[in-house]
Amino acid sequence: LVSQLVEPRQPEVVTDEIPGPQSKAALSRLGLLQDTRAVVFAGDYQKSVGNYIVDADGNCLLDLYCQIASIPVGYNNAALLKAAQSPEMALTLANRPALGVYPPKDWSATLEHAYMRVKPKGLDMVFTTAHGSDANELAYKAAFMHYAKTQRGGAEGFSTQELSSVMDNVPPGAPDVAILSFTAGFHGRTFGALSTTRSKAIHKLDIPAFRWPRAPFPQLRYPLDKYSEENAAEERRCIAETERILHDNPMPIAAVIVEPVQSEGGDRHASPQFFQALRSITKEHGVLMIVDEVQTGCGATGTFWAHEQWGLETPPDMVTFSKKMQTAGFYHTREMVPDQPYRNFNTWLGDPSRALMTSAIVDEVLGRGLVEQARDTG
């Protein structure tokens, strides 16, 4: 039945209000088991198709936001359904491996097809994980371990004092080192990621946080051609303040994380010149640059990765992804690999079933010229 779905020509609303009675009934049942206060309505995913989502009452709505920027090629896409029904998918679902110790024999081929054919320039490795917050969290860990290794002069091994103090969560084993983020940025809700999230107070209230600094993100005025001088001055101000923090912050900074477009923070943009200057000062101060492409990756901005439009002379050190890729992780250089195994690690380290879906998504995006379509239509 799903294969026979045809995308409608326009939305259709059949109830007096949304959510309608069937959605309300479904949410009432669900509310006995989970908190449903953020839920908009209950979806009917057997009837949703293309750009249209159908709810439990049969309302057919144009999904302009692709849920939470997380539906890449529409509902019930034929290529994705085919991948979901393949023998390879059945095998990975029935035998989910702990990828860090027992990867499938063809895992490298899966990585190549799902991730590496769209890898950001200059980043030749990928760390796979579960979701966007997780991707940022593990990128932070990579940054901290890289910083510590640099402080040790590249020497391997740890001192007796480091091994002892870390069990009490104090220096030198647990050093005071920071990640710098920007005002209004959003990087997730796990502990480390939440400490860099600056979009809404409700996300952060009551949760202990690291005392990490934040820098101002440019607040541009529109139309851009009318306020070009004012916007250039605003970006220079933000770069100057960022550099001051990198130089003067009492806690050393291992990395800066930035979104190409602050999405949850209010659709806030900056020019390529701003990001070029940011890359320049991070290099000058020996600080890593992490680009959070969880929202912007997978072609929606007119390039597969939004930061490709910045024209950087040297690539970021890490690029995180999730949402429309339907899986998560971060691209990185070999320099970001810890000096010992099991340090940046968890049981699953991603999921082969999700990687198979990512392969199908990338096939659709590249094969149908969707990046070019996004670039041309704006």
Side-chain angles (χ1 to χ4, degrees), residues 215-247:
F217 191 83
Q219 182 63 63
L220 303 185
R221 300 178 67 185
Y222 295 87
L224 293 175
D225 56 354
K226 181 178 179 179
Y227 294 102
S228 58
E229 292 185 8
E230 293 90 338
N231 288 340
E234 167 69 355
E235 291 190 337
R236 289 194 297 271
R237 180 189 71 83
C238 292
I239 287 294
E241 178 60 12
T242 302
E243 185 161 30
R244 185 197 66 78
I245 295 170
L246 293 178
H247 186 268

Side-chain angles (χ1 to χ4, degrees), residues 96-134:
R96 184 179 182 181
L99 288 168
V101 286
Y102 304 111
K105 63 182 182 180
D106 57 353
W107 183 230
S108 61
T110 301
L111 292 176
E112 286 284 352
H113 197 259
Y115 307 107
M116 303 315 291
R117 58 187 169 136
V118 292
K119 66 182 180 181
K121 182 179 179 180
L123 304 183
D124 295 325
M125 300 186 73
V126 65
F127 190 110
T128 52
T129 184
H131 50 77
S133 298
D134 199 25

Side-chain angles (χ1 to χ4, degrees), residues 274-287:
F274 171 81
F275 294 106
Q276 292 167 11
L278 180 62
R279 185 54 175 146
S280 178
I281 63 174
T282 56
K283 292 288 287 185
E284 181 180 338
H285 289 270
V287 173

Side-chain angles (χ1 to χ4, degrees), residues 5-334:
L5 290 172
V6 177
E7 186 167 6
R9 294 177 62 86
Q10 62 187 24
E12 181 182 13
V13 176
V14 298
T15 58
D16 292 334
E17 61 179 0
I18 297 175
Q22 295 301 318
S23 267
K24 288 180 178 178
L27 298 182
S28 178
R29 294 189 296 271
L30 182 60
L32 299 175
L33 307 174
Q34 293 185 328
D35 182 0
T36 61
R37 288 173 295 175
V39 174
V40 178
F41 54 73
D44 186 340
Y45 294 104
Q46 289 185 311
K47 296 179 180 178
S48 300
V49 57
N51 295 306
Y52 289 84
I53 184 170
V54 176
D55 71 7
D57 292 278
N59 294 303
C60 181
L61 306 173
L62 180 61
D63 187 357
L64 292 173
Y65 291 98
C66 304
Q67 300 216 354
I68 311 176
S70 52
I71 300 294
V73 287
Y75 295 98
N76 285 305
N77 176 280
L80 269 60
L81 288 173
K82 182 178 179 180
Q85 296 163 357
S86 67
E88 294 83 3
M89 181 65 75
L91 191 65
T92 63
L93 290 172
N95 303 282
R96 184 179 182 181
L99 288 168
V101 286
Y102 304 111
K105 63 182 182 180
D106 57 353
W107 183 230
S108 61
T110 301
L111 292 176
E112 286 284 352
H113 197 259
Y115 307 107
M116 303 315 291
R117 58 187 169 136
V118 292
K119 66 182 180 181
K121 182 179 179 180
L123 304 183
D124 295 325
M125 300 186 73
V126 65
F127 190 110
T128 52
T129 184
H131 50 77
S133 298
D134 199 25
N136 286 331
E137 194 92 9
L138 290 161
Y140 298 171
K141 287 182 65 179
F144 289 137
M145 286 184 274
H146 177 268
Y147 175 85
K149 182 177 179 179
T150 301
Q151 294 300 108
R152 296 187 188 101
E156 295 186 5
F158 312 99
S159 69
T160 300
Q161 187 179 14
E162 286 174 324
L163 294 170
S164 174
S165 62
V166 75
M167 303 310 291
D168 292 319
N169 297 336
V170 298
D176 292 323
V177 187
I179 303 291
L180 174 63
S181 59
F182 288 87
T183 297
F186 182 87
H187 303 290
R189 302 169 190 258
T190 53
F191 270 97
L194 192 59
S195 289
T196 55
T197 286
R198 314 285 186 172
S199 57
K200 296 180 178 69
I202 194 64
H203 299 328
K204 298 167 67 72
L205 286 167
D206 300 331
I207 311 300
F210 295 108
R211 291 344 187 230
W212 293 347
R214 65 173 172 175
F217 191 83
Q219 182 63 63
L220 303 185
R221 300 178 67 185
Y222 295 87
L224 293 175
D225 56 354
K226 181 178 179 179
Y227 294 102
S228 58
E229 292 185 8
E230 293 90 338
N231 288 340
E234 167 69 355
E235 291 190 337
R236 289 194 297 271
R237 180 189 71 83
C238 292
I239 287 294
E241 178 60 12
T242 302
E243 185 161 30
R244 185 197 66 78
I245 295 170
L246 293 178
H247 186 268
D248 296 340
N249 195 64
M251 186 184 298
I253 296 170
V256 171
I257 186 166
V258 67
E259 299 163 279
V261 178
Q262 288 191 333
S263 304
E264 175 154 332
D267 193 20
R268 289 152 56 95
H269 299 243
S271 72
Q273 291 73 31
F274 171 81
F275 294 106
Q276 292 167 11
L278 180 62
R279 185 54 175 146
S280 178
I281 63 174
T282 56
K283 292 288 287 185
E284 181 180 338
H285 289 270
V287 173
L288 299 177
M289 183 175 177
I290 305 170
V291 177
D292 181 343
E293 292 248 26
V294 169
Q295 288 260 19
T296 53
C298 203
T301 65
T303 49
F304 200 92
W305 304 106
H307 77 270
E308 294 175 40
Q309 300 173 40
W310 298 346
L312 299 181
E313 292 186 3
T314 56
D317 298 286
M318 290 177 270
V319 173
T320 61
F321 62 87
S322 188
K323 289 195 181 285
K324 286 180 285 297
M325 292 287 278
Q326 294 276 299
T327 181
F330 64 93
Y331 293 96
H332 61 95
T333 62
R334 185 165 295 277

